[in-house]
Amino acid sequence: KIAAIDQIYLINLPHRSDRRTNSIALLQTLHLNASIVPALDIHSSQVLSRSSHLTRHARLTLVELACWASHMQIWLHIAQSSDQSSDQSSNQASDGWTLIFEDDVDVEMKMINILRSFPSQLWHQPDMIYLGHCGDPPGMLLFQGMDNYRIHRSINPSCTHAYAIRRRSAMKLVALLATPRRAIDDEIVRLNEEQQLLIYSIHPPVAIQQKSNSSHPSDVNPVRDTWLYVLKKK
């Protein structure tokens, strides 16, 4: 039985209405409820206030800083929601899971069934499960689910376009990555290598990034809407 998924977030570049439309269609096809979170961009105050890191830490670009801030705002929201959940036990609060997607993701139509094919004990062990990744070689095999989809220990879980994260792990990342020093996926790989995080990956991935092109800009429109709006399934 799959662990409880409390929420699904989709990070969307506000000016990319085409991606938002495609993402809404995808989520509705999958019969999933989700919250769409406007991505922070290189002009956002939360990013500009941290821009001094670009001079002190040469490995971090402004675009990478914006990506860090976009994911960090969701982790903060998850952590704060956990702190405010006074009606839940500590175990329930720590074991809840959230799925996070970026808006250039394409998802396997059987994703939920694939996740449900993994045994419950696998959902009580890791901090994160990567639904998609960039060339992560499979580590130790943990379980084989339906249609040859497998859970492995992660070795190099690069990219953040699709992953599941536990509530307590979001709280951990808020503390560990409070000061950005390099690209967020590189930081997560480092924490995995140092065994500060336990990360699993699904092979083959159930989510992939769509190919980048000239219509896929790195920096985004400075106009930002409210923090999120809720998309309900049909």
Side-chain angles (χ1 to χ4, degrees):
K1 181 181 178 181
I2 190 173
I5 296 178
D6 296 333
Q7 183 59 278
I8 301 172
Y9 293 114
L10 181 104
I11 303 173
N12 172 243
L13 304 171
H15 76 290
R16 291 306 301 268
S17 58
D18 57 330
R19 288 187 184 173
R20 188 160 56 251
T21 298
N22 291 338
S23 298
I24 288 172
L26 176 62
L27 291 167
Q28 290 182 334
T29 300
L30 293 170
H31 303 291
L32 296 176
N33 295 335
S35 296
I36 299 180
V37 181
L40 294 167
D41 56 52
I42 61 173
H43 306 287
S44 300
S45 59
Q46 296 93 324
V47 175
L48 293 175
S49 64
R50 298 270 187 170
S51 61
S52 60
H53 289 282
L54 298 182
T55 58
R56 296 202 297 269
H57 307 291
R59 288 181 291 179
L60 186 69
T61 69
L62 194 57
V63 170
E64 290 169 341
L65 186 61
C67 182
W68 168 88
S70 294
H71 286 268
M72 180 61 74
Q73 67 175 339
I74 297 179
W75 298 342
L76 281 166
H77 180 71
I78 295 171
Q80 291 166 357
S81 297
S82 298
D83 290 341
Q84 294 167 1
S85 299
S86 57
D87 59 334
Q88 294 181 319
S89 71
S90 58
N91 287 334
Q92 288 176 316
S94 65
D95 281 340
W97 286 84
T98 297
L99 303 185
I100 299 177
F101 299 105
E102 294 177 350
D103 65 359
D104 59 350
V105 74
D106 192 11
V107 176
E108 165 62 51
M109 291 294 103
K110 295 181 289 186
M111 178 187 71
I112 295 300
N113 288 334
I114 292 167
L115 297 181
R116 286 174 176 160
S117 73
F118 300 130
S120 60
Q121 62 265 31
L122 284 179
W123 292 91
H124 296 300
Q125 297 167 355
D127 292 292
M128 302 172 70
I129 299 177
Y130 271 65
L131 311 181
H133 40 81
C134 298
D136 181 24
M140 181 177 65
L141 175 64
L142 301 171
F143 185 81
Q144 180 168 320
M146 64 175 287
D147 295 344
N148 201 39
Y149 282 93
R150 309 173 306 280
I151 287 278
H152 291 260
R153 285 286 297 268
S154 295
I155 295 176
N156 187 51
S158 295
C159 299
T160 54
H161 54 278
Y163 60 92
I165 186 169
R166 193 182 265 191
R167 284 185 182 179
R168 67 183 184 192
S169 306
M171 299 170 70
K172 186 188 299 186
L173 284 172
V174 167
L176 290 172
L177 300 183
T179 301
R181 292 184 172 86
R182 67 181 90 180
I184 193 169
D185 56 338
D186 290 340
E187 288 280 47
I188 292 174
V189 169
R190 175 183 63 83
L191 293 173
N192 182 61
E193 291 174 345
E194 295 175 354
Q195 299 184 1
Q196 295 191 66
L197 291 177
L198 177 59
I199 303 177
Y200 294 169
S201 298
I202 298 177
H203 294 264
V206 295
I208 60 172
Q209 283 181 303
Q210 298 175 3
K211 292 184 177 180
S212 301
N213 51 48
S214 58
S215 64
H216 178 189
S218 295
D219 53 345
V220 295
N221 191 302
V223 176
R224 185 165 184 249
D225 298 322
T226 56
W227 194 82
L228 61 81
Y229 57 91
V230 175
L231 170 68
K232 293 292 185 181
K233 67 183 180 183
K234 289 182 177 179

